[in-house]
Amino acid sequence: EAGVAQSPRYKIIEKRQSVAFWCNPISGHATLYWYQQILGQGPKLLIQFQNNGVVDDSQLPKDRFSAERLKGVDSTLKIQPAKLEDSAVYLCASSFSGAEAFFGQGTRLTVV
Amino acid sequence: GEDVEQSLFLSVREGDSSVINCTYTDSSSTYLYWYKQEPGAGLQLLTYIFSNMDMKQDQRLTVLLNKKDKHLSLRIADTQTGDSAIYFCAENTAEDTDKLIFGTGTRLQVFP
């Protein structure tokens, strides 16, 4: 089966610009996660969807980050405006039952 | 609170066993996981253990869980150079959200 697809793989933007990331989860997986992984740290959950509803967005900086999962399949994560400290790898993951989460390769964002 | 801790580095000789340790705080976690991350790649689920188990073995991997001490370990037998990577332990929180809390990761370096 195909894995979790993410695009783009890399993105370089200037601070205060906007950026969007896209994720296509594994077919049939109802749960979708966006994680932020800063260099040298473990992934931190930003937002979790169950189908097209938000389950947990307690650690999402809502003044600049937004995410949506229209139709309960693909998802986009947006940052507007970006700050230097947003430089990180943004990982998308999906799961069917919650016991196993499968991760995409991530999008590496560099804000200069 | 939610906190998962790991030692930062481990260096072993090829053919030896590696033991990566992790401590967690949420005693009501349902599952505990080990993920592997190679450079520039996403996270690969290696194995997971249900919280009512003490041990799980999967080929070269052995997971030990001490619930009393909230200690999880991953033993890799006959470590190979291809095992060089960052290993993350993660706990599944007790809430219904199936949120994964990751440790900071242990960088395993295997030398010939």
Side-chain angles (χ1 to χ4, degrees):
Chain A
E1 80 187 349
V4 177
Q6 290 189 246
S7 67
R9 286 295 313 277
Y10 306 94
K11 190 75 177 178
I12 301 174
I13 62 172
E14 295 182 349
K15 59 184 179 184
R16 290 187 289 275
Q17 284 188 320
S18 301
V19 66
F21 313 126
W22 174 82
C23 172
N24 178 236
I26 293 172
S27 178
H29 283 194
T31 307
L32 184 147
Y33 313 80
W34 282 103
Y35 283 84
Q36 179 194 57
Q37 186 178 18
I38 292 172
L39 186 65
Q41 299 181 18
K44 182 186 80 171
L45 180 70
L46 292 175
I47 188 166
Q48 178 182 347
F49 292 93
Q50 182 75 16
N51 295 308
N52 60 349
V54 175
V55 175
D56 186 341
D57 63 356
S58 56
Q59 297 197 78
L60 186 74
K62 298 181 186 63
D63 58 334
R64 297 183 302 105
F65 286 64
S66 64
E68 60 182 9
R69 191 183 184 196
L70 299 175
K71 300 180 182 178
V73 182
D74 294 3
S75 177
T76 55
L77 176 69
K78 296 179 182 177
I79 308 175
Q80 180 180 10
K83 293 185 175 181
L84 296 176
E85 59 260 36
D86 298 332
S87 293
V89 176
Y90 291 84
L91 295 163
C92 179
S94 69
S95 71
F96 175 73
S97 63
E100 296 186 51
F102 296 88
F103 284 78
Q105 290 190 296
T107 297
R108 182 177 297 276
L109 173 68
T110 303
V111 183
V112 298
Chain B
E2 302 164 340
D3 198 13
V4 181
E5 295 186 353
Q6 301 178 239
S7 53
L8 292 180
F9 299 103
L10 177 65
S11 183
V12 299
R13 188 180 298 276
E14 189 175 20
D16 288 351
S17 293
S18 307
V19 179
I20 303 171
N21 295 301
C22 170
T23 57
Y24 60 97
T25 55
D26 190 342
S27 58
S28 53
S29 292
T30 309
Y31 294 97
L32 294 127
Y33 305 80
W34 284 104
Y35 281 85
K36 176 183 180 183
Q37 188 175 39
E38 295 181 87
L43 285 90
Q44 173 195 355
L45 177 64
L46 286 178
T47 187
Y48 64 92
I49 188 168
F50 191 53
S51 58
N52 68 353
M53 298 170 63
D54 298 325
M55 186 184 85
K56 181 178 179 181
Q57 186 153 2
D58 184 1
Q59 298 182 337
R60 292 191 298 122
L61 305 179
T62 303
V63 178
L64 295 178
L65 175 60
N66 182 329
K67 284 196 72 174
K68 175 176 171 290
D69 295 336
K70 297 177 193 169
H71 183 265
L72 182 74
S73 68
L74 174 70
R75 179 177 180 270
I76 306 173
D78 187 24
T79 312
Q80 303 297 308
T81 54
D83 295 324
S84 294
I86 300 176
Y87 290 80
F88 292 94
C89 80
E91 62 174 343
N92 176 299
T93 64
E95 301 166 6
D96 294 334
T97 59
D98 291 325
K99 183 169 72 174
L100 289 177
I101 306 296
F102 284 87
T104 50
T106 299
R107 181 179 295 276
L108 172 65
Q109 183 176 358
V110 183
F111 57 94

